[in-house]
Amino acid sequence: MGLGLGGKEACQHVVSFLIGATLTTALLVFLGSDRLGVGLSTISSSWGSTRTQLPALAGTGSPPAQVANNTPAPAAGGAAAPTAATHGQESEFAGLAELLPKVATDDGTVIITSVNEAFARPNSLLDLFRESFRAGEGIEHLLDHVLVVAVDDMAFAHCTAMHPHCYLLQVQSNMNLSSAKAFMSEAYVELVWTKLSLQQRVLELGYSFLFTDVDIVWLRNPFWHISVFADMTTSSDVFRGDAGSLDNLPNTGFYYVRATDRAVEMLRRWRAARARFPPNHEQAIFNEIKGELAGDLGVRIRFLDTARFGGFCQIYHSDMGGACTMHANCCFGLSNKLHDLRDVLGQWRNYTGLTPEEKKTRKFTWKNPAKCGTPDKKDWSIDP
């Protein structure tokens, strides 16, 4: 042999080489994780309900898996370990622990939206929300992983008539929560904070979540744009070009949180901060404390570009070719939201009906909304 090795000696060298290569690969995987003993999780192409719980270290987090095959980037293998529910949690969120495995992806991500009776009734926002998944580009399968949280009995009844995964959240309130609520009304503020309580419990049970307001239409898979290394990835009211900059203004109508112990603590501190800034809604308070969460707790926050995750708050002329979602924010009145979101889906269907050659001829941009968000209608006191 050219190297002067006998057959047995050559075999030993080959074995040594293979062992060394294997150890090197294992070391790279280890270094790629920021949680001791936990590597990057893989994403299954199937959508079963089983998942493996792995231990977590307090105050740390590991990055979620990369997106593949048009599927979500769910919780990393180092998800927050499920906690034993107290009696109060069991009664407040009865049945949630049993429902989540039926909704979650294989890797443990749940898409959550919430509705009251006004939003859930036929031909209202929940119908339009679900329609957008069917009209969207390869995202209809994600409906199987949407948990619709109803905040009143009639909303729950409407939901169960159209959607397989509905959860009735028992809201402790003497207010009527069934009708559409004005922005910053007492009932509106109570609802958005109740939403955080349920989301914290979802994380405690070991599941990551993507929360989406029901007045958002989905057009493409947003998980392609969820940051691999962030604890929280949120949409923006104002995006300044740098996804990691805390100078961006968040919009918590659409955000993803990975199931880690650090994320649970983030939700706990976020909820506790309500007492420091009364009265206010959760988005404004998150904006106030985002620096504290990043500095004191080490939370990694990423912001989504408004060119892809748009809304009615500003005149927008972004390209349909890159759009993922459209949010009927800065819009007063349920009928106005429905009108302009239906128009968005109409524009989208016209665009997706074009041939690839036709799409290349020019840039296709969104029209200004007719009833929402235009300068003559914009007012910071209106419903976002």
Side-chain angles (χ1 to χ4, degrees):
M1 297 178 63
L3 295 178
L5 299 176
K8 180 177 179 180
E9 185 179 2
C11 181
Q12 290 172 339
H13 278 270
V14 169
V15 170
S16 298
F17 171 79
L18 292 174
I19 291 174
T22 302
L23 290 175
T24 301
T25 302
L27 179 61
L28 289 172
V29 171
F30 173 82
L31 292 174
S33 170
D34 67 350
R35 182 175 297 212
L36 189 61
V38 177
L40 296 178
S41 69
T42 58
I43 296 193
S44 172
S45 60
S46 63
W47 293 95
S49 60
T50 57
R51 63 193 295 266
T52 302
Q53 296 288 356
L54 297 177
L57 300 180
T60 63
S62 60
Q66 290 278 9
V67 180
N69 298 324
N70 206 34
T71 56
T83 59
T86 64
H87 176 73
Q89 288 171 318
E90 288 175 344
S91 59
E92 185 178 3
F93 302 111
L96 183 62
E98 293 75 22
L99 181 57
L100 289 176
K102 301 174 183 177
V103 188
T105 66
D106 281 351
D107 287 64
T109 294
V110 179
I111 301 167
I112 302 174
T113 193
S114 59
V115 294
N116 60 6
E117 192 277 332
F119 291 172
R121 66 179 62 139
N123 300 315
S124 191
L125 286 172
L126 182 56
D127 263 345
L128 194 61
F129 175 78
R130 284 170 43 81
E131 180 185 343
S132 73
F133 282 77
R134 293 187 286 268
E137 207 169 76
I139 59 173
E140 184 173 2
H141 67 285
L142 294 178
L143 274 175
D144 295 335
H145 306 287
V146 173
L147 177 64
V148 179
V149 178
V151 299
D152 61 75
D153 292 334
M154 283 303 298
F156 183 71
H158 290 317
C159 179
T160 55
M162 71 174 78
H163 189 73
H165 306 303
C166 305
Y167 180 74
L168 179 58
L169 179 61
Q170 300 294 339
V171 181
Q172 303 301 318
S173 174
N174 295 323
M175 295 174 283
N176 174 21
L177 303 178
S178 298
S179 59
K181 300 303 173 190
F183 181 51
M184 285 306 296
S185 66
E186 186 179 359
Y188 174 90
V189 171
E190 191 60 37
L191 283 175
V192 296
W193 284 106
T194 301
K195 171 187 77 176
L196 283 188
S197 301
L198 179 133
Q199 291 169 0
Q200 180 178 327
R201 186 62 190 142
V202 169
L203 294 175
E204 290 169 348
L205 290 167
Y207 294 87
S208 302
F209 68 83
L210 193 163
F211 176 80
T212 170
D213 278 345
V214 76
D215 62 346
I216 294 177
V217 292
W218 286 42
L219 307 171
R220 292 186 175 92
N221 193 333
F223 290 99
W224 287 100
H225 305 282
I226 299 298
S227 172
V228 174
F229 299 105
D231 298 294
M232 177 179 181
T233 303
T234 180
S235 61
S236 312
D237 270 344
V238 177
F239 182 75
R240 305 191 189 281
D242 178 1
S245 172
L246 293 179
D247 288 335
N248 296 310
L249 298 182
N251 185 306
T252 55
F254 188 94
Y255 62 101
Y256 173 86
V257 179
R258 292 188 298 116
T260 63
D261 290 342
R262 178 164 55 201
V264 173
E265 178 63 13
M266 177 185 74
L267 265 288
R268 189 196 68 78
R269 294 192 187 190
W270 187 357
R271 293 176 58 211
R274 181 183 184 182
R276 294 163 49 194
F277 302 95
N280 219 329
H281 59 92
E282 93 296 4
Q283 177 175 302
I285 290 180
F286 180 80
N287 190 54
E288 291 282 352
I289 67 170
K290 62 188 178 185
E292 298 174 20
L293 296 174
D296 299 342
L297 194 57
V299 173
R300 291 166 293 193
I301 304 168
R302 302 287 288 183
F303 294 84
L304 296 168
D305 192 340
T306 51
R308 294 187 181 276
F309 298 85
F312 294 163
C313 279
Q314 298 175 339
I315 297 297
Y316 59 100
H317 298 284
S318 55
D319 187 1
M320 292 185 192
C324 284
T325 63
M326 186 60 68
H327 190 180
N329 52 8
C330 289
C331 188
F332 179 77
L334 177 57
S335 62
N336 290 337
K337 287 178 183 282
L338 288 169
H339 178 279
D340 283 348
L341 284 177
R342 285 178 181 136
D343 186 55
V344 166
L345 280 187
Q347 294 176 65
W348 172 255
R349 286 191 170 100
N350 289 339
Y351 170 77
T352 55
L354 299 173
T355 66
E357 291 73 22
E358 289 173 321
K359 291 177 183 177
K360 291 178 182 178
T361 60
R362 63 183 178 89
K363 182 179 179 180
F364 290 86
T365 58
W366 300 104
K367 295 189 304 183
N368 294 336
K371 306 217 177 250
C372 304
T374 52
D376 60 312
K377 300 180 179 68
K378 183 174 179 181
D379 186 309
W380 291 115
S381 67
I382 62 178
D383 182 359

